[in-house]
Every structure is written in structure tokens, then in C-alpha cells.
Amino acid sequence: SKTLMRPVSVLIGELGSGKSLAAERLLQEAIGGARRDPEAPIPVYLEATSVGRRLSDSIRVATQECGDIAHRGALVILDGADETGSGRARTLLDEARQIGIAWPNTSVIIFSRPLTAFSDLEEARWMPALSETAALQIVTRVSGQPPTIGSVASWPRSVREAIRRPLFAVLMGVYLLHGGGSTPHS
């Protein structure tokens, strides 16, 4: 759609919080929008570790067969900025800011685990943790049966906190599905 978010956003989340899934869903939504509207921004997905020397060059290469980026703009999803190291991640952020100013109708959304380079950004947004109820719903869906209130209460705090990230809720469900007799300590 023509309504884009701010020119640059940084979505930060811990391991297992669903960042990559959010990036993929955002890309799917943008692709659907581009199919419905040939003037919509061009959807671009880049893994930060595959970005060449300049982000703008990588975006141009990715969109060269998709239309005029200067006219249509782009919705750039840059996943895994943390995997490039703090210095490179900061450089990518600075380049994204320049692109957001220079290219009309263009937004760059950076997905990352927490980094010092991203600690106090105006553009930063944190992936929210699941509520305990939502986490237990995932555990139940995967395991096929709800854990008892007593068993949940006996889980170490670290486990109860970890399952508030979707990946770990799924892992706990798999553990219980396969007859996990004792509660994991972490």
C-alpha cells in the first residue's frame, strides 16, 4: 500500500522472539500489496550479512527487474543486522536513514537482536514478549495437552520467562509431547 511506516524502523528482539517471522509476514503483505497496486513500493528482503559495501547498491540490484525504484519507492526489510557486528549494523542504520530521506516513498525496516549500536534509537521498537497465557496456549497446542497449574508453578522462573518467546514455547511443547519427565532447569 502507499501508506508506509516511518522511513526507518528498527525492530529489536531477543533470540526466539519472532523477529524473522515478523519480517517474513511483512514481506508477504508487501508482496500482496504490490500485486494489487503496480504503483506500490517494491518489496525487498535482504539479509544483512549479504548486503554489499553499500545498502543502496544492494537494494538497486534486488529491484532492477521490478520497476523504477525512484518512482515507486521500496519497502526494504533488512533482517539479521546483529549478525554483521555492532559497527556494521550502525553503518547500515546510517545508510538506511540516508535512503529514507533521499528516496521517496521508501521505508527501511531493520530487524536485529539487541546491540549497543541500537540501544537508544528514536527508531527502535521492541518485540513484545508473549503473555504467560499466550505462551501456555502455544505449549498446549504443540504438546496436545495443557500443562497442569501445579506443573507450571514448579517450573523454574527462567523457563517460565523463556517460554514467553514463541520459539521457546514451541520447544517446551515439543519436550512435553515427547514425554519430558522432568522439568528443564533452563
Side-chain angles (χ1 to χ4, degrees), residues 94-119:
D94 292 340
E95 289 180 54
R97 287 173 172 158
Q98 292 169 2
I99 289 167
I101 292 168
W103 295 3
N105 206 27
T106 296
S107 292
V108 180
I109 305 165
I110 299 171
F111 291 79
S112 178
R113 290 184 193 149
L115 287 175
T116 314
F118 295 155
S119 60

Side-chain angles (χ1 to χ4, degrees), residues 19-165:
K19 296 178 304 301
S20 292
L21 178 60
E24 291 168 13
R25 286 192 174 160
L26 183 59
L27 177 65
Q28 290 169 354
E29 184 179 307
I31 290 170
R35 284 185 174 154
R36 289 186 298 278
D37 179 3
E39 295 294 311
I42 300 168
V44 179
Y45 177 89
L46 296 171
E47 292 182 9
T49 55
S50 68
V51 170
R53 189 168 162 236
R54 293 179 46 191
L55 178 59
S56 58
D57 292 341
S58 292
I59 295 169
R60 283 189 184 98
V61 166
T63 60
Q64 65 189 357
E65 296 180 16
C66 300
D68 181 11
I69 195 168
H71 171 72
R72 286 181 60 187
L75 173 61
V76 180
I77 297 165
L78 185 62
D79 197 14
D82 56 288
E83 296 172 23
T84 66
S86 208
R88 177 67 174 144
R90 187 59 190 223
T91 299
L92 289 169
L93 171 63
D94 292 340
E95 289 180 54
R97 287 173 172 158
Q98 292 169 2
I99 289 167
I101 292 168
W103 295 3
N105 206 27
T106 296
S107 292
V108 180
I109 305 165
I110 299 171
F111 291 79
S112 178
R113 290 184 193 149
L115 287 175
T116 314
F118 295 155
S119 60
D120 292 325
L121 298 179
E122 175 185 328
E123 301 98 336
R125 302 292 177 267
W126 282 84
M127 287 289 293
L130 297 170
S131 67
E132 185 172 304
T133 301
L136 291 173
Q137 287 173 342
I138 292 172
V139 171
T140 299
R141 273 192 159 166
V142 173
S143 69
Q145 59 185 354
T148 65
I149 293 172
S151 69
V152 172
S154 71
W155 294 353
R157 188 174 134 206
S158 62
V159 171
R160 289 193 317 271
E161 287 176 9
I163 66 166
R164 294 188 64 204
R165 289 183 264 163

